[in-house]
Structures are given as structure tokens and as C-alpha cells.
Amino acid sequence: MQEAIILVGGKGTRLRPLTNHTPKPLLGVAGTSFIRHQIAKLMDAGVTHVVFATSYLASLFEEEFKDFGESLDISYAVEEVPLGTGGAIRNAGRLLRGGPDDAVLVLNGDILSGLDLRAILGEHRRRAADVTLHLTRVPDPRAFGLVPTAEDGRVLSFLEKPRTAEEIVTDQINAGCYVFRRAVLDAIPGDREVSVEQETFPGLVATGHRVLGHITRGYWRDLGTPLAFVHGSADLVTGAATSPLVGPAGDALIHPTAVIDPGALVTGGSTIGPGAVIGPGAVVDRSIIGAGVTVGAGARLHDSVVDHDSTIGGDSLLRETVVGCHAHIGADNELPAQLRLSCGIRIPAQGVRVSGTATACSTVH
Ligand code: GDD
Ligand code: MG
């Protein structure tokens, strides 16, 4: 029996307002909640029991999977108070069914990767490791855990989110997927907040445990920021990243109930949700359009997410924008890039412009 723990208790603050009502792993990516892509991948790798380590909006996970008819057992380890990543792993470990030497997969709940799970499990067993960490390389490692390794793959140190230039000793980072020997996982304190990155991994390395790196160079993305989130979704649609739940690669994934005007362009791996309406001349590029959203004629959206039941007025321009649910952006707005618009916000027509001339004053003086 292969078991896995998925850490899904974080608040997803960098993805607000999308995460105000929905935990990050339940947000829609390429037409399905992200966690379902992860679950499908785990099942393909032979996992038969998954424990969700939940905290923030915990009940929504049970709601999502209440009718899950697949051959996978799902357990829920709910933290009343978040226990940190290490505390969460230990707490979820109470619900595992295997023995002390069994290999347990542990996954961060926001990583899209091409990692071959059977390969990391095989290497962990073959090399009789205490913990095996999936490692990858990124151009800018500052937002991650730095993990230098020796020639033989042994982890030399673990430094979470380096603060100074001197601390950046490698571009090899913790990719957020681990295999633990169960006894090692059971030894993490479970009664208080523990960071697996700041406390457990450095501690295991310092005490001479067999902590190994499984280094890959394939597709990898943490979906925790708005831009990474839309790009990850688009990569699944275009086939740059794969999931058992996404069909043949294409330019866009359009729900059968969405209505796209023949004069609109939906491209770059965009996803259009149920009941959405895209008007003539509109451009939706590498973006996620939620259920019931209306995009007016001539509006242009690039690298943006629009949550359900919002309206984007005609000829408005959005770049790298996150729009909460039930928002109304009037016509002829040109929004500065990287805005996050709260749920329910209303921006009148011609309310915001960052280039060219503002429209003539319509007020009587
Ligand atoms: N149950 C539970 N309880 N889950 C938690 C808690 C908690 O207290 N805190 C965080 N999590 C979950 C989040 O939901 C997420 O799935 C995962 O743990 C990692 O948290 P993030 O907030 O996404 O961390 P990060 O992206 O800044 O850094 C982590 O991932 C990087 C790779 O993307 C670290 O593991 C880094 O070392 C790593 O490089
Ligand atoms: Mg993350």
C-alpha cells in the first residue's frame, strides 16, 4: 500500500482575493481544481491512501471530495490551529496505516511538476534513505528553500528563504515533494508549530540522518503567486505541463456552456469557465475566466484571472490582473499591471487609465 500526505492548510495569501473563499488547492486550474490534478497523478503512481493536512477553510476539502467515486481512500487531518508544515506532516501521520519503515510521499499542495513519483519512491527505497527530497533548479532561488548536495546526492544543508546575498550558495531548491521513512516522520513533534523547512530538515542533516536529494530538470512550478498560477494553468492547456485530467494539448480550454463570439480570440492556453460570455473582438490571452463571467466587446486580458460572476467592460485592458468574484469593471478602463481587485468591487466606465489622455471632464463646473 502506497500512502501520501498533501499539505493544504496554508492561507494562500499571495493569491488573494481568489483565496478569500477558496483554499489555494481548490482553485480551478485548466478546468479542474488543482488538487484533483494532484490526486490523479498520485493515483497513476499507485497511491491508494491520501491524507489531507487541512486547516484554512478545511471543510471545503471534504465538500469537494464527498462524492469522489474513485478507488482512493481519503482521510482528513484537520488542524484547529495551523501547525506549520512539519507539525502538519506529523499530525497527518497519525492517520497513516503503514509500518515504521514504509515510504510515505509528502507533497506541498501547490506544485505543478513533471516529477515521476515512482522514480523518487524507487530511489528512496534503493538507497535506504531516511528522507528523499525532490530538488530542482530555478533562476531566482530567493523565494524557496536552498538545498546544496554532495556528489553522491546527500543533502549538505537546508536554508529556507535566504535573506542575504551570502546565503545564496546554490540555485538548487526544495521542490516541495518528499519521501519520508515513516518512523522519521513520526518523530516530528506533533503538539506545536514546526516548520519542516526551518527545523526538521536542518535538524535531520545536523544529526547525520540519511537525507538525499532527487534532482530533476523537468517542468516545475510553484503556483503560489498570481502570475505563476495563470501560467501553470496555461501550461496544462498547451501541453507544456501534463496532467492525467487534461485532454489533448490546445490553445484554449473552453467549457461547452461558454459562449465565445466568432470574432473573439481566446489563446495562449486560456481557460473559459461554464456560462462565460466573450464578446466580439475581445482577446483573452493566457488567462483564466471563471464561471458566469462576461468579457465585453474589444476587451483585452493578458495573464489575468477573473473569478466567477464578474464583468469586464468593452475595450478595457487588463494585464497580470487578479479580479475577485462579482466584480464589475466598466468599459474603457486601462488598468495598471498586477492589480488585485477585491470581490464585488465596481470601477465605473473610463475610471482608470495609465497611458494616453484621460477622457474629457464630464462634470459641470
Ligand atoms: N496543514 C498545513 N498547516 N499546511 C500548511 C501550513 C500549516 O500550518 N503552512 C503551509 N502549509 C502548506 C501550504 O498549503 C502549501 O501547500 C505548502 O504547505 C507550502 O506552503 P507555501 O506557503 O506554498 O510555501 P512556499 O511556497 O513559500 O515554500 C515552500 O515550497 C517551496 C517550493 O515551492 C517551502 O517548502 C520551500 O522550501 C520550497 O522551496
Ligand atoms: Mg508554495
Side-chain angles (χ1 to χ4, degrees):
M1 179 184 47
Q2 182 59 58
E3 298 186 282
I5 294 170
I6 313 186
L7 300 175
V8 290
K11 293 197 173 96
T13 49
R14 289 169 294 175
L15 284 176
R16 282 180 191 154
L18 304 175
T19 46
N20 284 349
H21 317 291
T22 309
K24 176 165 59 174
L26 296 186
L27 293 174
V29 165
T32 313
S33 66
F34 181 65
I35 194 92
R36 285 185 185 256
H37 293 290
Q38 256 186 334
I39 291 285
K41 183 171 169 166
L42 288 170
M43 288 174 68
D44 271 8
V47 172
T48 52
H49 179 214
V50 165
V51 183
F52 287 138
T54 61
S55 177
Y56 177 64
L57 300 175
S59 64
L60 298 186
F61 289 92
E62 299 192 37
E63 182 68 21
E64 170 93 4
F65 288 102
K66 67 177 189 301
D67 300 322
F68 196 60
E70 310 279 345
S71 57
L72 175 77
D73 272 347
I74 302 180
S75 308
Y76 301 89
V78 184
E79 299 152 43
E80 297 304 332
V81 185
L83 291 171
T85 45
I89 293 170
R90 172 66 183 85
N91 186 55
R94 293 180 300 116
L95 301 179
L96 295 171
R97 297 163 190 163
D101 281 323
D102 282 348
V104 181
L105 269 169
V106 178
L107 275 69
N108 283 355
D110 60 352
I111 306 295
L112 179 61
S113 91
L115 173 66
D116 178 344
L117 294 172
R118 288 184 196 269
I120 191 172
L121 282 162
E123 187 176 344
H124 175 84
R125 292 197 176 98
R126 202 167 46 251
R127 299 195 63 190
D130 287 321
V131 184
T132 304
L133 309 181
H134 178 214
L135 307 178
T136 191
R137 287 215 150 100
V138 290
D140 180 0
R142 284 175 299 176
F144 303 104
L146 304 194
V147 191
T149 45
E151 282 287 303
D152 65 354
R154 268 191 105 112
V155 169
L156 297 170
S157 61
F158 193 111
L159 180 67
E160 181 68 7
K161 311 225 165 75
R163 295 219 179 90
T164 62
E166 295 75 54
E167 286 179 336
I168 305 176
V169 293
T170 178
D171 59 356
Q172 183 170 277
I173 61 141
N174 168 26
C177 172
Y178 325 118
V179 186
F180 272 82
R181 190 156 60 78
R182 176 161 180 196
V184 175
L185 176 159
D186 286 340
I188 300 173
D191 55 348
R192 62 177 170 86
E193 196 176 327
V194 178
S195 159
V196 78
E197 298 90 352
Q198 288 170 27
E199 187 174 337
T200 310
F201 291 144
L204 289 171
V205 172
T207 49
H209 282 76
R210 200 166 162 71
V211 183
L212 303 181
H214 176 81
I215 303 163
T216 70
R217 298 277 174 266
Y219 183 93
W220 185 87
R221 208 189 276 279
D222 176 328
L223 304 191
T225 63
L227 206 52
F229 184 73
V230 285
H231 288 182
S233 179
D235 288 343
L236 281 167
V237 174
T238 60
T242 54
S243 159
L245 302 185
V246 180
D251 219 21
L253 190 64
I254 296 167
H255 193 273
T257 59
V259 179
I260 315 289
D261 187 275
L265 176 63
V266 179
T267 187
S270 294
T271 299
I272 311 293
V277 177
I278 313 293
V283 175
V284 178
D285 172 31
R286 208 152 61 157
S287 295
I288 302 174
I289 304 298
V293 167
T294 303
V295 175
R300 285 167 294 151
L301 289 86
H302 300 276
D303 305 288
S304 297
V305 194
V306 184
D307 209 352
H308 63 91
D309 298 303
S310 290
T311 310
I312 310 297
D315 292 320
S316 281
L317 173 62
L318 279 68
R319 288 158 299 173
E320 301 180 19
T321 306
V322 182
V323 183
C325 63
H326 298 99
H328 174 84
I329 316 301
D332 290 315
N333 280 290
E334 182 194 357
L335 303 181
Q338 301 189 348
L339 273 190
R340 289 147 189 266
L341 302 174
S342 307
C343 303
I345 198 170
R346 300 188 73 77
I347 299 182
Q350 301 176 339
V352 183
R353 176 152 293 275
V354 286
S355 69
T357 28
T359 39
C361 180
S362 56
T363 313
V364 179
H365 293 280

